[in-house]
């Protein structure tokens, strides 16, 4: 027995075959869809898949030329090879081949025969042709009514007032109407009241939200990166920009240019930079095993897919690997569109753990209240810093006394050095210790110093060296350095057991205290320091062992060295052997010390003035005050102002206000933006293979079938692309926009396939209406409301 699905299929075929042929066969409406679906895959634009060198997607391919006859003879179907092939009973000659499962119905064969009888008129694909408007005045209603009459249908009765208000409210805001709006309109549902109702709904904030949902879906908006960890990324201000744009009725052409090229305006506003975040909405990877070059290829190709789909309504992504099988888009043009986006600053592999720049360029978007508060804090901080930086006689006198109390640091040369894990430690001429050879994940360095005079502080200087990765000071691949523990002992000269420097118990006295850290960055600017580092010390009050400290320098690099200073609670005894133990025991870090040096303050009095002084300032103390240059004087004074007791209150205020400003800044929304860099080369990738570098390098360019953008000066930019997208010369954008809006309000588009107005799309039910609306949109200044 025949099942219900088979019966329905049979009834559909019978109904189609019984459909009367149109009096006038139109190529774009009736013939192109058949050829595209059944023939273009083997006889279409893709030269690599074309069979028998026969094309059925062009006028010359169908009609032939002086050198080669075409598969049809206009006006004579019986003499046409096309008709012979589609009506043949020979499986070897029949077209389409039965193995493809795309047989023509009797109705379709009859339609092709009649088209040839009527002269086989060929037309370029309707969506790629210039937008046309009929000479006679027309309205939406006139087009709709004409279609209804042709189908012998009557229009639906007018909706009752309550239903009409509900429809309007849901269409324009996505929300049910307010009761008072329903009642007001129901009392007097005249045309003027209707227009006022529409105007009120379009002017309401929910209108922008309703339209934003539509647009954000098109541009694949998300506030996470999509790949793997799917980490959050800051883009919500872009969403707010879209909502505000629809509510303010921003012209659609301006809306387009700001998103594609907001950063390329002469002096881009914050709003335009936020809009440029569109280019950053695609997925981004932070997976450790990802190949950066591969993902750069993914990111830029996805932009072409989205722009061509959202604005142009064509499936351009098919061209990444081969010429389009249905539309006249060659592979080269895919990569020419890619080239427009080659100037966007981005990485193939991101660092999600980077707190300052995890996903590339971004900007803060404070509210008016936040901006006001931040400006007030910044002003107050600036005033305090100006006061701190202002010289005075009292400060000068205080600085003079401070310099008198300064005790110089003396380099200590070790008598023995030892690596527990087998690294080679070599004492250099400047008394520094350089590690080489074995570099285990963890290690302990032991140093002894004989006959050390009385000292009050110890300093570890971490230094660069040409033999170290990136010149160090560490032995990791990036030159990093880690000190996990630091232990200090003093010993009798002759083999007594190790004893803590403090001669009292740990509970009674903290052996190491007042730890401070300073660093020097040679050749690094304030705005772009070469590296960052942090170092801290901790006192283990509870343990019965030595005190310890830890330090981590991130990307210290070849131009930097750091200092770790520890002040002792009291001066330590003379004529003892000093033993220092430096441990790096974080086996998950694997950053061992590469080159370092030990120094001490040789004095019998407190050394507060000596602690934390930058090395570059220390060297100036060797010059008599009267012989110093102005630059040297200012350098010493600048440092003193950071420790002067007289300015402690102001420094405390600056610290507190800065914390408040930082806390407020952390609450400010941020958003990804586009930042332009020198365009990277884009080449045609064979079958989309990102590893194949044999393809032609291409410049930005517009699809030839859609016209050309005149190159005025130099390389075309994203702004040129945006301007072309919304230019009258481009037949797609306005058609696509009104077709999508029609679907938004009526349930389906005038052309049903919203994302494909190409050969595989649908002929519009009302092509003249679609073009009329497209022209009206452009002529209105792209006024969506």
């Amino acid at each position: 027995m025949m099942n219900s699905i088979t019966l329905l299929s049979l009834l559909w075929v019978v109904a189609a075959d019984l459909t009367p042929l149109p009096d006038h066969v139109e190529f774009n409406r009736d013939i192109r869809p058949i050829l595209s679906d059944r023939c273009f895959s083997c006889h279409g634009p893709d030269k690599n898949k074309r069979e028998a060198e026969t094309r059925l997607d062009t006028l010359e391919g169908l009609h032939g030329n002086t050198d080669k006859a075409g598969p049809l003879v206009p006006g004579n179907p019986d003499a046409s090879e096309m008709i012979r092939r589609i009506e043949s009973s020979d499986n070897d000659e029949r077209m389409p081949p039965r193995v493809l499962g795309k047989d023509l119905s009797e109705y379709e064969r009859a339609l092709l025969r009649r088209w040839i009888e009527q002269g086989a008129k060929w037309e370029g694909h309707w969506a790629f042709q210039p937008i046309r408007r009929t000479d006679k005045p027309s309205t939406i209603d006139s087009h709709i009514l004409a279609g209804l009459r042709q189908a012998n249908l009557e229009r639906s009765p007018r909706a009752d007032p309550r239903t009409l208000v509900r429809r309007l409210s849901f269409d324009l805001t996505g929300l049910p109407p307010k009761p008072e709006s329903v009642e007001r309109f129901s009392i007097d549902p005249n045309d003027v009241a209707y227009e006022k109702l529409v105007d009120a709904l379009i002017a309401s904030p929910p209108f922008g939200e309703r339209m934003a949902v539509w647009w954000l879906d098109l541009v694949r908006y998300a506030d996470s990166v999509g790949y793997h960890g799917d980490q959050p990324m800051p883009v919500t201000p872009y969403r707010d920009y879209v909502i505000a744009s629809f509510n303010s009725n921003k012209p659609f052409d301006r809306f387009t240019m700001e998103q594609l090229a907001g950063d390329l305006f002469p002096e881009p506003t914050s709003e335009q930079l936020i809009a440029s975040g569109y280019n950053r909405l695609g997925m981004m990877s932070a997976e450790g095993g990802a190949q950066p070059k591969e993902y750069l290829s993914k990111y830029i190709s996805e932009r072409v897919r989205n722009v061509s789909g959202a604005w142009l309504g064509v499936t351009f992504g098919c061209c990444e690997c081969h010429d389009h099988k249905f539309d006249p888009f060659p592979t080269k043009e895919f990569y020419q569109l890619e080239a427009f986006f080659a100037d966007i600053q981005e990485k193939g592999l991101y660092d999600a753990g980077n707190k300052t720049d995890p996903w590339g360029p971004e900007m803060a978007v404070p509210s008016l209240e936040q901006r006001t508060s931040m400006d007030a804090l910044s002003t107050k901080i600036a005033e305090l810093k100006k006061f701190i930086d202002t010289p005075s006689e009292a400060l000068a006198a205080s600085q003079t006394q401070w310099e008198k109390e300064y005790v110089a640091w003396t380099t200590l040369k070790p008598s023995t050095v030892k690596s527990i894990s087998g690294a080679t430690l070599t004492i250099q001429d400047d008394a520094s210790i350089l590690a080489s050879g074995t570099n285990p994940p963890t290690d302990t360095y032991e140093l002894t110093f004989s006959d050390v005079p009385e000292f009050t502080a110890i300093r570890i200087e971490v230094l660069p060296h040409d033999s170290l990765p990136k010149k160090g000071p560490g032995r990791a691949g990036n030159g990093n350095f880690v000190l996990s523990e630091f232990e200090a002992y003093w010993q009798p000269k002759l083999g007594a057991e190790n004893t803590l420097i403090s001669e009292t118990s740990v509970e009674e006295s903290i052996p190491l205290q007042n730890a401070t850290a300073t660093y020097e960055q040679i050749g690094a600017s304030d705005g772009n320091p070469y590296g960052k580092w942090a170092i801290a010390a901790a006192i283990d009050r509870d343990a019965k062992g030595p005190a310890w400290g830890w330090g981590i320098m991130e990307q210290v690099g070849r131009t930097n060295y750091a200092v770790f200073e520890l002040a002792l609670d009291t001066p330590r005894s003379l004529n003892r052997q000093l033993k220092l133990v430096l441990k790096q025991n974080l086996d998950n870090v694997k950053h061992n010390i590469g080159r370092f040096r030990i120094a001490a303050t040789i004095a019998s009095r407190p050394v507060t003035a000596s602690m934390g002084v930058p090395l570059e300032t220390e060297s100036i103390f060797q010059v008599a005050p009267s012989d110093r240059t102005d630059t040297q004087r200012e350098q010493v004074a600048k440092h003193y102002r950071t420790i002067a007791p007289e300015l402690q209150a102001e420094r405390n205020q600056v610290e507190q206000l800065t914390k408040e400003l930082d806390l407020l800044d952390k609450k400010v929304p941020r958003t990804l933006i586009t930042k332009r860099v020198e365009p990277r080369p884009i080449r045609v990738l064979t079958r989309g293979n990102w590893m194949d570098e044999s393809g032609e390098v291409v410049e930005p360019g517009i699809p030839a079938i859609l016209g050309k953008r005149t190159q005025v000066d130099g390389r075309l930019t994203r702004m040129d692309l945006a301007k072309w997208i919304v230019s009258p010369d481009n037949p797609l954008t306005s058609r696509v926009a009104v077709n999508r809006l029609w679907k938004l309000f009526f349930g389906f588009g005038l052309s049903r396939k919203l994302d494909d107005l190409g050969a595989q799309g649908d002929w519009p039910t009302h092509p003249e209406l679609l073009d009329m609306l497209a022209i009206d949109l452009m002529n209105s200044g792209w006024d969506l409301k």
Side-chain angles (χ1 to χ4, degrees), residues 1 42 188 194 497 517 526-527 585 622 735:
M1 177 178 287
C42 296
D188 187 14
Y194 176 82
E497 292 186 2
D526 293 337
N585 56 19
Q622 299 174 15
R735 280 179 174 139

Side-chain angles (χ1 to χ4, degrees), residues 70-86:
L72 58 82
V73 179
N76 191 348
D78 291 329
S80 299
E81 179 70 6
M82 174 186 284
I83 297 300
R84 188 184 76 79
R85 286 297 193 102
I86 67 175

Side-chain angles (χ1 to χ4, degrees), residues 6-28:
T6 304
L7 179 59
L8 286 172
S9 301
L10 179 60
L11 289 174
W12 182 86
V13 172
V14 171
D17 286 345
L18 292 177
T19 303
L21 295 174
D23 293 334
H24 173 69
V25 180
E26 189 164 343
F27 179 78
N28 269 327

